[in-house]
Amino acid sequence: MKLIRFVSETGEVLMGSYEPDHPGETRIVEGDLFGERRLTDRRVRIGRLLPPVDPPNILCIGLNYRGHAEETQARLPEIPVMFIKATTAVMAAGETILLPAAGPDQVDYEAELALVIGRRAKNITPDEALDYVLGYTCANDVSARDWQKDKQQKQWARGKSFDTFCPLGPCLVTKDEITDPNRLRLRSILNGRVLQDSNTSDMIFNIQALISNLSRSITLLPGTVILTGTPQGVGFTRQPPVFLREGDLITIEIEGIGSLTNPVAKEQGNP
């Protein structure tokens, strides 16, 4: 099932089915996102799309594609490199990525497959890992490169956590609809130009390995979002570099899931 969360025109927060051929309306899904669900025949108008999940934590993986490691001239990691992104960075498809008033001038895009944990997990094996997955969605791990590299002395969290820096969506695809999450094409498209075009088969650590590793002595709560890394083609490695600018339109596209599109604008206010 492809699920969306949204606010109706009457202000209710509801679940529905993802129907790109019927923009602006959906069939209601009754039940619990983490439990039993039922698709109904009731149709309603969508007032505002929400992120497909409201995560208690966002765990992210750096340097998880061989091509990206090569373009950054980095050694392949021996274990997954984890960092955390603030939950306040989450936003929905169609909402605006804001270039922070606090700076910088080096805001980058990162196409990523995101997975959502469906039930409490701790110290699980790779063979068990997919049993704990609720589903998958598109993510853009928006990154302020000068904060990431220089201003925070290579501590990544702040440069990855500005408001609007974690677009998710447009829908959550339940795991039964994804035959193999380790073989999905993903792309980033900036103003119609394809900048990243790869496949999750290029990941250094596959989905099962990531979940198992992150669950070691850390409890993964239902709704936890795991961003699984980005492939080659990011902006800061290009010559000349390509960073997000006011008026841009950035799309993250993943096979079997859909397209996550967000416009870009400057945040208003004092630095």
Side-chain angles (χ1 to χ4, degrees):
M1 188 177 291
K2 293 184 176 181
L3 301 167
I4 59 170
R5 292 173 61 246
F6 67 98
V7 179
S8 71
E9 292 182 329
T10 59
E12 296 178 278
V13 176
L14 300 168
M15 272 195 304
S17 63
Y18 178 53
E19 300 179 356
D21 293 335
H22 297 87
E25 67 174 24
T26 184
R27 291 171 64 188
I28 290 295
V29 174
E30 294 180 344
D32 182 355
L33 180 61
F34 300 103
E36 296 295 325
R37 298 175 298 272
R38 183 177 69 89
L39 180 63
T40 72
D41 292 328
R42 178 187 165 204
R43 303 194 71 87
V44 299
R45 296 286 300 172
I46 298 171
R48 176 169 59 90
L49 198 62
L50 296 173
V53 67
D54 185 13
N57 283 306
I58 306 170
L59 308 182
C60 312
I61 304 299
L63 281 177
N64 196 34
Y65 280 74
R66 293 171 181 83
H68 183 46
E70 290 172 4
E71 73 178 351
T72 58
Q73 299 181 340
R75 293 178 58 187
L76 298 185
E78 295 180 4
I79 62 172
V81 177
M82 190 196 89
F83 60 94
I84 292 179
K85 208 169 173 82
T87 57
T88 47
V90 172
M91 68 171 186
E95 294 188 300
T96 302
I97 296 169
L98 296 177
L99 306 176
D105 195 38
Q106 297 180 2
V107 177
D108 210 341
Y109 53 87
E110 290 191 9
E112 305 209 11
L113 173 67
L115 68 89
V116 179
I117 296 295
R119 59 191 177 102
R120 192 181 185 95
K122 185 175 180 179
N123 294 329
I124 60 175
T125 68
D127 288 343
E128 299 172 304
L130 294 185
D131 294 337
Y132 291 83
V133 173
L134 174 64
Y136 305 90
T137 191
C138 304
N140 189 346
D141 179 18
V142 183
S143 305
R145 297 301 186 191
D146 54 355
W147 281 87
Q148 180 184 352
K149 295 179 180 180
D150 302 321
K151 292 186 179 183
Q152 294 284 288
Q153 298 183 11
K154 298 185 179 179
Q155 294 293 323
W156 296 358
R158 187 165 190 190
K160 299 277 193 171
S161 290
F162 288 109
D163 289 353
T164 75
F165 270 30
C166 190
L168 297 174
C171 62
L172 176 70
V173 181
T174 54
K175 65 180 179 182
D176 57 292
E177 293 206 7
I178 301 294
T179 302
D180 185 355
N182 297 305
R183 291 190 178 277
L184 298 176
R185 186 183 184 189
L186 72 167
R187 304 196 301 169
S188 64
I189 305 165
L190 180 63
N191 302 324
R193 176 188 175 192
V194 176
L195 295 179
Q196 292 176 284
D197 190 349
S198 187
N199 195 288
T200 56
S201 61
D202 191 48
M203 289 193 296
I204 297 166
F205 304 101
N206 69 17
I207 297 298
Q208 294 91 325
L210 289 177
I211 297 170
S212 175
N213 181 273
L214 295 182
S215 78
R216 294 179 63 188
S217 302
I218 295 177
T219 299
L220 305 180
L221 297 171
T224 296
V225 168
I226 298 175
L227 304 191
T228 58
T230 199
Q232 72 276 11
V234 294
F236 83 92
T237 65
R238 294 179 171 271
Q239 297 299 327
V242 175
F243 295 118
L244 298 179
R245 296 287 181 254
E246 184 175 23
D248 282 348
L249 194 69
I250 180 73
T251 295
I252 308 303
E253 187 178 87
I254 302 181
E255 178 184 358
I257 298 175
S259 298
L260 168 67
T261 299
N262 299 93
V264 181
K266 290 183 179 179
E267 181 186 23
Q268 300 303 308
N270 296 322

